[in-house]
Amino acid sequence: MDVPKHNAYVDLHCHSTASDGTLSSTELVRLAKDSGLSALALTDHDTVAGTAEAASAAGSLSLDFLPAIEISCQYPHPGTMHLLGYGIDPNSPVLRDLTQRLIAARDNRNPRIIARLNELGVAITMVEVEREAGGDVVGRPHIAAVLVRKGYVSSIKHAFDKFLGTTGLAYFDKERLTARQALDLVHQSGGLPVLAHPCQLRTTNDAELERVVKDLVDLGLAGIETIHSDHDASMVERYTRLAERYGLLKTGGSDFHGGNKKDIALGIANGRRIPREFFDALVERCGRKG
Ligand code: AMP
Ligand code: ZN
Ligand code: FE
Ligand code: FE
């Protein structure tokens, strides 16, 4: 019988306090080590501000590390399209311009959400939300956390259902890049673009999903996230088949957010673990680690 190797598993999708997670990047790396993982990729929304600290913590704990980013793209409602960029150079000027632009789009949206909440009789200020966020990337989960703390809603999920989700009373979208722009910018930053959690595209059949993936492949897509907390066994199988048909890398991750998504544990995606070979194949293709 094969005994699983100690270094058999990784997590390639997680968020720190640099975006909307609740653990610092050092705490995340420690948790990865304590959870028996051998490698981690940090995929904060719209920023690489946590990657230097994570790389240094990973170095001291002998955990392999890959800097990454998650970017939301234009996509028709009710679906969402997120792209992961693995192995980007955190010092790339293209990446710096990109993250500044994405953060500006958030800074444009967030005060509108707060103003609408105030109109609805919810006493919440931008200062409280910024304090909750702690960093440059202020997202809806931070607003949700303040709403929970102040007793306006019972949970983060309730905050999204009632106020912040696409059908909520205080929903505003932010300016998004097109998929083409996001793919080009990830390439120009030295990274590999990967389609995150394809189930969130909410395509209604296999043919539609395949068309979306094929269009992205034509624009330079390098991989598909096959394993994710939102994916059941049949989705994992379907996305794996698609990856193999188009010669794409397979990636996987929990999408861990700490206390902002309490039911998700680092390294575990809907009961599944993420094989080390996913990390090794990414590193081999992008030629970067640490
Ligand atoms: P933002 O980047 O500000 O648009 O917020 C996106 C973040 O909100 C992502 O981390 C999502 O996982 C999270 N999110 C979106 N919808 C929900 C929901 N219904 N419940 C909990 N979190 C959500
Ligand atoms: Zn998030
Ligand atoms: Fe996402
Ligand atoms: Fe994510």
Side-chain angles (χ1 to χ4, degrees), residues 44-72:
D44 274 312
H45 303 279
D46 301 352
T47 186
V48 289
T51 58
E53 185 187 307
S56 139
S60 7
L61 292 174
S62 301
L63 186 94
D64 289 324
F65 176 73
L66 196 58
I69 193 166
E70 183 172 19
I71 301 169
S72 308

Side-chain angles (χ1 to χ4, degrees), residues 13 15 45 70 82 196-197 200 228 255:
H13 191 156
H15 298 268
H45 303 279
E70 183 172 19
H82 291 180
H197 40 62
Q200 291 185 17
H228 182 271
D255 213 348

